[in-house]
Amino acid sequence: MSTAPAKQEWLVVLPDNKGALEQRMKVRPDHLSALKPTIESGFWTFGGALLDETPKEGEGLKINGSVMLAYGATREEVLQALEADVYSKEQVWDWSKVQIFPFKSAFRNAL
């Protein structure tokens, strides 16, 4: 009898391809909508945009990538979820620079 691997956290850093901001914003609603079931299931526990600089009032965000935290059994499970994401399919993320790290939260606070 085999048992499933224990779940753990995975910190994912996903830089964008150069010049991908327009494409990112175009497909963002689809990206967020498709994530809802995996957020609700607890697979994705946080996520957001990496920025070039601190946001300035009256200016758009200067987004250069994503950071996400997954709660899954294996690195491969996380990779599969990322590969299925619209940001992957629409070449927003630069896969040559994607990093996935085993991670252990010491604390989390809601915003």
Side-chain angles (χ1 to χ4, degrees):
M1 180 169 131
S2 67
T3 58
K7 290 186 178 183
Q8 68 176 51
E9 295 170 298
W10 300 89
L11 181 66
V12 184
V13 180
L14 303 127
D16 284 356
N17 280 305
K18 188 172 176 100
L21 182 57
E22 184 178 336
Q23 181 67 3
R24 168 186 272 275
M25 299 315 289
K26 177 181 167 188
V27 300
R28 185 173 185 264
D30 294 334
H31 164 72
L32 294 174
S33 176
L35 285 175
K36 282 183 183 179
T38 51
I39 292 168
E40 290 170 1
S41 75
F43 182 79
W44 293 117
T45 61
F46 85 73
L50 287 171
L51 306 176
D52 284 331
E53 60 186 42
T54 304
K56 295 184 174 105
E57 191 173 330
E59 292 184 15
L61 297 177
K62 296 181 179 159
I63 300 171
N64 64 26
S66 304
V67 173
M68 301 170 81
L69 188 67
Y71 185 62
T74 64
R75 185 178 194 278
E76 290 72 30
E77 181 183 12
V78 176
L79 272 171
Q80 287 177 353
L82 294 170
E83 289 169 349
D85 193 284
V86 69
Y87 281 174
S88 290
K89 293 176 182 176
E90 297 293 331
Q91 276 103 57
V92 172
W93 290 326
D94 181 349
W95 274 93
S96 71
K97 296 178 182 172
V98 169
Q99 297 177 291
I100 302 173
F101 302 100
F103 185 77
K104 179 65 177 161
S105 293
F107 64 90
R108 283 191 226 165
N109 290 325
L111 294 177

